[in-house]
């Protein structure tokens, strides 16, 4: 999609809603005002789902869900979002059964799908893949994760979760824990949080610290952040504890992965030092970083977080298709 989507609109077209025809590639494209707007639409979607389940807002529209990497939540929540809005989905999650296995390039695959669909959701193992797809496409591309790069729709649903769970964002201390090097969700979330007056703590093994590119951006925006190798130093002040999985698929050295994969494990005992009102979040899947005994703790927000994701993705689809 080109940066001036209005150029594609017929003269006099009234569908001038925010993000109509836009790609969603990075959280850097959002202002605080945009976030308020998106969350307002997401709230309306939540009420709608809870009261009627499905509406016809996107009837006749088609989403192509193009996943080159495994996914459970992102893929199925985008499908559910489109279907709850009355639209339909072309799911391509087994790219090995598509022409990709014959060597088709990403731009050609995207140009093909946009002949049939109105919007494309793309997950790809390479950093920058969503931007590359967007450069080739006329229809909106939504980045559902580009390798270790960004995962903007996850960051939006993460922020929506924080607002729903704690009521506000300014003034909060957010601690991100785990694989901050390869975890794209924390790259996007920390960039998005830089729009707010927050304190960020980054806790990770020394080998998995937040990339310089992200911390340099935070410094430029005068965000208060600090880096740690131990959780106990920052847990008592934390309002949001955002735990991530060590990203096995991004390691060249699997022995290193094995030595780091359980560097941090949250147990009921860990939470004894935490605030009584704290949101414990995780983008999921978890592979041992949060013990299942923690699930019953009211602070465990990760299952609710998945549900909030449905409402946020419904809002985004409605917006890029000019219906919200
Ligand atoms: C995350 C991802 O794909 O980056 N999953 C998700 O979309 N909820 C996190 C992860 O895989 O660890």
């Amino acid at each position: 999609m080109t940066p001036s989507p209005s150029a594609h609109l017929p003269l006099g077209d009234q569908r001038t809603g925010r993000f109509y025809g836009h790609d969603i590639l990075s959280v850097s494209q959002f202002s605080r005002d945009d976030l308020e707007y998106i969350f307002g639409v997401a709230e309306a979607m939540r009420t709608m789902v809870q009261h009627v389940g499905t509406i016809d807002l996107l009837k006749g529209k088609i989403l192509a869900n193009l996943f080159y990497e495994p996914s459970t939540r992102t893929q199925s929540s985008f499908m559910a979002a489109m279907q709850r809005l009355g639209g339909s989905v072309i799911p391509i999650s087994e790219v090995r059964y598509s022409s990709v296995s014959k060597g088709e390039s990403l731009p050609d695959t995207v140009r093909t799908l946009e002949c049939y669909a109105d919007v494309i959701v793309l997950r790809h193992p390479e950093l920058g893949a969503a931007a590359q797809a967007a450069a080739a496409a006329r229809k909106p591309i939504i980045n559902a994760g580009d390798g270790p790069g960004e995962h903007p729709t996850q960051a939006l649903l993460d922020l929506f979760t924080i607002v729903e769970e704690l009521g506000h964002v300014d003034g909060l201390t957010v601690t991100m824990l785990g694989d901050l090097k390869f975890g794209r969700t924390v790259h996007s979330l920390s960039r998005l949080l830089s729009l707010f007056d927050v304190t960020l703590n980054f806790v990770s093994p020394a080998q998995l610290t937040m990339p310089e590119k992200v911390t340099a951006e935070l410094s430029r925006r005068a965000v208060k952040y600090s880096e740690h190798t131990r959780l106990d130093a920052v847990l008592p002040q934390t309002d949001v504890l955002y735990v991530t999985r060590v990203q096995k698929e991004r390691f060249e050295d699997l022995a290193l992965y094995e030595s780091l994969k359980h560097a941090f494990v949250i147990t009921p005992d860990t939470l004894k030092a935490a605030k009584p009102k704290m949101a414990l979040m995780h983008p999921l899947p978890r592979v041992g970083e949060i013990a299942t005994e923690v699930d019953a703790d009211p602070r465990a927000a990760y299952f609710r977080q998945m549900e909030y994701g449905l409402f946020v993705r419904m809002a985004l689809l409605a917006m890029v298709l000019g219906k919200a």
Side-chain angles (χ1 to χ4, degrees):
M1 189 79 229
T2 54
S4 71
S6 53
H8 303 292
L9 295 181
L11 214 61
D13 195 305
Q14 292 306 301
R15 295 166 299 171
T16 51
R18 210 179 293 215
F19 296 115
Y20 173 47
H22 283 240
D23 304 307
I24 296 181
L25 301 180
S26 158
V27 290
S28 345
Q29 67 196 86
F30 301 115
S31 65
R32 273 182 79 139
D33 194 45
D34 292 331
L35 298 175
E36 227 168 87
Y37 189 85
I38 296 167
F39 294 169
V41 180
E43 279 295 352
M45 295 299 181
R46 179 187 196 173
T47 309
M48 188 285 287
V49 170
Q50 285 165 352
H51 288 91
V52 291
T54 304
I55 51 169
D56 276 351
L57 191 68
L58 298 183
K59 191 163 187 269
K61 299 287 183 193
I62 298 176
L63 158 70
N65 235 7
L66 178 58
F67 280 70
Y68 289 73
E69 272 192 338
S71 168
T72 303
R73 273 149 292 272
T74 308
Q75 189 179 177
S76 54
S77 65
F78 266 113
M79 281 179 89
M82 195 62 185
Q83 288 168 354
R84 284 194 179 274
L85 291 170
S88 46
V89 185
I90 302 172
I92 304 188
S93 49
E94 291 284 358
V95 286
R96 66 177 180 277
Y97 296 127
S98 74
S99 287
V100 170
S101 66
K102 301 179 190 166
E104 186 165 62
S105 70
L106 177 63
D108 280 4
T109 302
V110 160
R111 282 189 198 111
T112 306
L113 288 172
E114 70 177 353
C115 297
Y116 315 130
D118 302 288
V119 52
I120 298 172
V121 169
L122 173 70
R123 170 169 290 186
H124 197 279
E126 279 163 34
L127 199 155
Q132 191 198 352
R138 287 173 291 116
K139 304 268 176 76
I141 300 288
I142 299 180
N143 181 4
D146 59 330
E150 278 223 36
H151 195 347
T153 70
Q154 178 73 41
L156 290 171
L157 80 87
D158 291 339
L159 193 67
F160 186 65
T161 303
I162 295 174
V163 175
E164 293 293 309
E165 295 285 314
L166 299 175
H168 64 106
V169 183
D170 283 320
L172 295 180
T173 296
V174 180
T175 298
M176 299 185 194
L177 175 75
D179 185 349
L180 308 183
K181 178 178 180 188
F182 296 121
R184 54 197 171 198
T185 67
V186 284
H187 302 164
S188 287
L189 183 59
S190 33
R191 286 182 170 120
L192 198 58
L193 284 168
S194 71
L195 295 174
F196 296 84
D197 175 22
V198 291
T199 303
L200 301 181
N201 297 313
F202 298 138
V203 184
S204 70
Q207 299 89 333
L208 298 178
T209 53
M210 190 62 92
E212 230 274 312
K213 192 163 182 278
V214 179
T215 53
E217 268 182 59
L218 298 177
S219 302
R220 271 202 304 282
R221 289 172 159 269
V223 178
K224 292 165 270 170
Y225 77 87
S226 55
E227 300 187 87
H228 308 264
T229 50
R230 292 179 60 103
L231 177 62
D232 50 7
V234 293
L235 184 59
Q237 298 84 45
T238 295
D239 300 296
V240 176
L241 178 58
Y242 190 100
V243 183
T244 63
R245 166 181 76 91
V246 178
Q247 307 275 302
K248 181 178 183 183
E249 64 275 34
R250 316 260 180 246
F251 278 76
E252 277 165 19
D253 176 359
L254 276 185
L256 180 63
Y257 164 75
E258 288 297 328
S259 72
L260 296 175
K261 68 177 180 188
H262 290 148
F264 297 97
V265 177
I266 305 296
T267 65
D269 212 41
T270 320
L271 292 185
K272 285 186 185 145
K275 287 187 179 183
K277 191 168 189 275
M278 183 192 77
L280 175 60
M281 296 171 58
H282 193 305
L284 301 175
R286 65 175 156 183
V287 284
E289 316 78 46
I290 301 182
T292 51
E293 296 76 46
V294 172
D295 298 354
D297 190 301
R299 292 167 288 190
Y302 33 93
F303 296 126
R304 295 189 290 277
Q305 188 179 348
M306 284 192 275
E307 199 183 352
Y308 296 133
L310 172 68
F311 312 133
V312 170
R313 288 179 172 135
M314 288 173 77
L316 293 172
L317 288 173
M319 288 171 76
V320 298
L321 293 171
K323 298 287 184 183

